[in-house]
Amino acid sequence: MSATAEVPFLDLKSITGENSVELMQAAERVISGGWFILGGEVTAFEREYAEYCGATHAVGLANGLDALSIALRAMGVGPGDEVIVPSNTYIATWLAVSHLGAVPVPVEPVTRTYNLDPERVENAVTSRTRAILPVHLYGQPADLDPLRNIAHRHGLKVLEDGAQAHGARYKGRRLGSDPDSTVAWSFYPGKNLGALGDGGGLTTHDEGLAEQVAVMRNYGSRVKYHNEIIGYNSRLDEIQAAFLRAKLPTLDSANAKRRYIAERYLSGMADIGLDLPYQPDWAEPVWHLFVIRHPDRDAFAARLKLAGVATMIHYPVPPHLQRAYEHLSIAEGSLPISEAMHREVLSLPIGPTMSDEDVERVIHAVRSCA
Ligand SMILES: *Cc1c(COP(=O)(O)O)cnc(C)c1O
């Protein structure tokens, strides 16, 4: 066993350090400018991020949960409506639906990709379904074309949860770039594009929708002190927008580094019978997480910990078994694919500043502990 420090799960301090000069300059610009809410930094970030995604509009928001919820509301989702969500996502995806008085209807994933299974989505559509909310989980793009097809046939909206997938590509196209695509983003610090605090946003090609969301985020107001609708306070801060502008130019290289690590993991662990991430040929993931499965996950994680490798579980309890969703009365055992995932998945360290030495240590530890 090595006596060196543990391989951290994600080293935010070194990630932030990579951009420290630009981040300090950004902070100075905002502090000396004396304008902190909805100013030039947010507007510039919206333009730059829309351009990065290949979308025509971006709207900066306070966090990813609000981005999902406000976008759904602007798409017409309201009380009593059903929204199809993945059964195995982070709970924010479900909460965004619940906050509108609408009902999250969980659908199981394709086992190999962890993303929504279009066939099951088709079977879950009812007369009350208003929208489908696919998540690009772990940074792997969901299979959007069949989902869009179902949505067209049933007159449903599609909102993508891109919180884990900044820069990923589906069939060669960056998420957000398709004219049909509206994506809610989170810029939580640990995401692939993270602020130094909370942040979120929406990209879309629908000008009316972008405008509605922009009005909703600012108290339902276009003109100060004139309020058209029951809006929110959900603005991206100027200082966070400035930080995000400092980091955006390095997103592609940070994602490339994650891809390099993922490829080394995939080849270094290929021959030991572990369940490794699967990439459909149309997917260019950005490896927000590198998730493997092990039938005796907790003991495996404990051995890795002793071998100096930090891991995490995404996620230990599926939303339908959380106390918050007791009222939906979805019995244990009724979503067996995701329940098995929640018992078996384990996320290995991955991040843009991880050293080659640490990557090798992880591979070695996994090989000897599996
Ligand atoms: C992080 C995350 C969110 C929520 O983002 P916040 O900015 O923390 O509100 C939503 N969906 C998924 C899949 C996430 O990973």
Side-chain angles (χ1 to χ4, degrees), residues 140-165:
Q140 310 274 343
D143 194 1
L144 291 169
D145 282 347
L147 296 174
R148 287 174 178 149
N149 207 296
I150 294 166
H152 284 152
R153 275 188 284 111
H154 295 277
L156 310 175
K157 305 285 187 185
V158 177
L159 174 65
E160 301 164 44
D161 181 339
Q164 302 187 357

Side-chain angles (χ1 to χ4, degrees), residues 88 109-111 114 293 337-345:
N88 61 318
V110 175
T111 303
Y114 298 97
R293 292 176 73 157
I337 296 175
S338 47
E339 286 171 26
M341 283 173 183
H342 287 81
R343 279 192 300 273
E344 295 176 1
V345 292

Side-chain angles (χ1 to χ4, degrees), residues 15-353:
I15 291 171
T16 310
E18 293 267 287
N19 301 298
S20 64
V21 172
E22 294 78 8
L23 290 168
M24 294 293 185
Q25 285 168 351
E28 267 187 80
R29 208 163 62 228
V30 174
I31 292 166
S32 63
W35 188 274
F36 306 112
I37 302 288
L38 295 185
E41 298 291 341
V42 169
T43 303
F45 174 67
E46 288 171 341
R47 190 175 55 239
E48 288 158 13
Y49 193 62
E51 189 184 341
Y52 175 84
C53 293
T56 52
H57 304 276
V59 184
L61 297 160
N63 55 66
L65 171 59
D66 282 5
L68 288 163
S69 198
I70 292 175
L72 285 174
R73 185 171 151 201
M75 287 174 160
V77 173
D81 290 340
E82 293 178 355
V83 177
I84 292 173
V85 295
S87 53
N88 61 318
T89 181
Y90 180 56
I91 199 161
T93 317
W94 288 42
L95 294 179
V97 176
S98 303
H99 285 178
L100 299 173
V103 182
V105 174
V107 166
E108 294 246 84
V110 175
T111 303
R112 285 204 300 183
T113 66
Y114 298 97
N115 277 323
L116 265 186
D117 182 343
E119 259 179 61
R120 288 189 163 84
V121 169
E122 177 90 60
N123 295 331
V125 174
T126 73
S127 59
R128 303 170 79 165
T129 309
R130 288 299 294 269
I132 306 172
L133 182 31
V135 177
H136 304 296
L137 196 69
Y138 307 151
Q140 310 274 343
D143 194 1
L144 291 169
D145 282 347
L147 296 174
R148 287 174 178 149
N149 207 296
I150 294 166
H152 284 152
R153 275 188 284 111
H154 295 277
L156 310 175
K157 305 285 187 185
V158 177
L159 174 65
E160 301 164 44
D161 181 339
Q164 302 187 357
H166 318 76
R169 289 174 192 270
Y170 174 68
K171 298 188 177 171
R173 306 198 55 174
R174 190 158 263 166
L175 294 181
S177 67
D178 192 279
D180 268 359
S181 176
T182 296
V183 189
W185 306 94
S186 164
F187 305 118
Y188 178 81
K191 310 292 190 186
N192 288 41
L193 179 61
L196 308 191
D198 279 309
L202 185 83
T203 55
T204 184
H205 298 252
D206 180 338
E207 187 173 6
L209 184 79
E211 204 189 323
Q212 268 246 296
V213 168
V215 170
M216 282 182 187
R217 78 173 164 187
N218 192 27
Y219 288 109
S221 149
R222 247 175 266 256
V223 178
K224 203 170 171 75
Y225 305 130
H226 293 263
N227 307 89
E228 302 166 23
I229 52 164
I230 308 285
Y232 305 84
N233 175 354
S234 183
R235 301 168 299 217
L236 178 66
D237 287 334
E238 281 284 285
I239 197 152
Q240 297 304 342
F243 289 147
L244 288 165
R245 292 183 70 200
K247 288 180 78 178
L248 181 58
T250 65
L251 175 58
D252 280 341
S253 61
N255 282 342
K257 181 70 191 296
R258 288 173 182 272
R259 186 171 317 121
Y260 163 77
I261 295 165
E263 276 160 12
R264 287 188 56 184
Y265 280 173
L266 286 168
S267 61
M269 301 172 193
D271 57 340
I272 51 172
L274 258 190
D275 202 331
L276 298 174
Y278 165 76
Q279 286 181 78
D281 53 13
W282 42 257
E284 264 179 65
V286 288
W287 301 103
H288 176 59
L289 297 169
F290 189 95
V291 177
I292 61 179
R293 292 176 73 157
H294 194 284
D296 194 10
R297 190 256 325 268
D298 293 342
F300 176 44
R303 289 194 294 276
L304 286 174
K305 174 97 186 148
L306 281 175
V309 173
T311 58
M312 285 183 77
I313 297 168
H314 298 91
Y315 297 90
V317 181
H320 71 283
L321 300 180
Q322 299 279 0
R323 255 194 36 220
Y325 281 107
E326 255 172 23
H327 62 282
L328 293 183
S329 302
I330 305 171
E332 184 155 10
S334 57
L335 295 167
I337 296 175
S338 47
E339 286 171 26
M341 283 173 183
H342 287 81
R343 279 192 300 273
E344 295 176 1
V345 292
L346 189 68
S347 307
L348 299 179
I350 192 163
T353 59

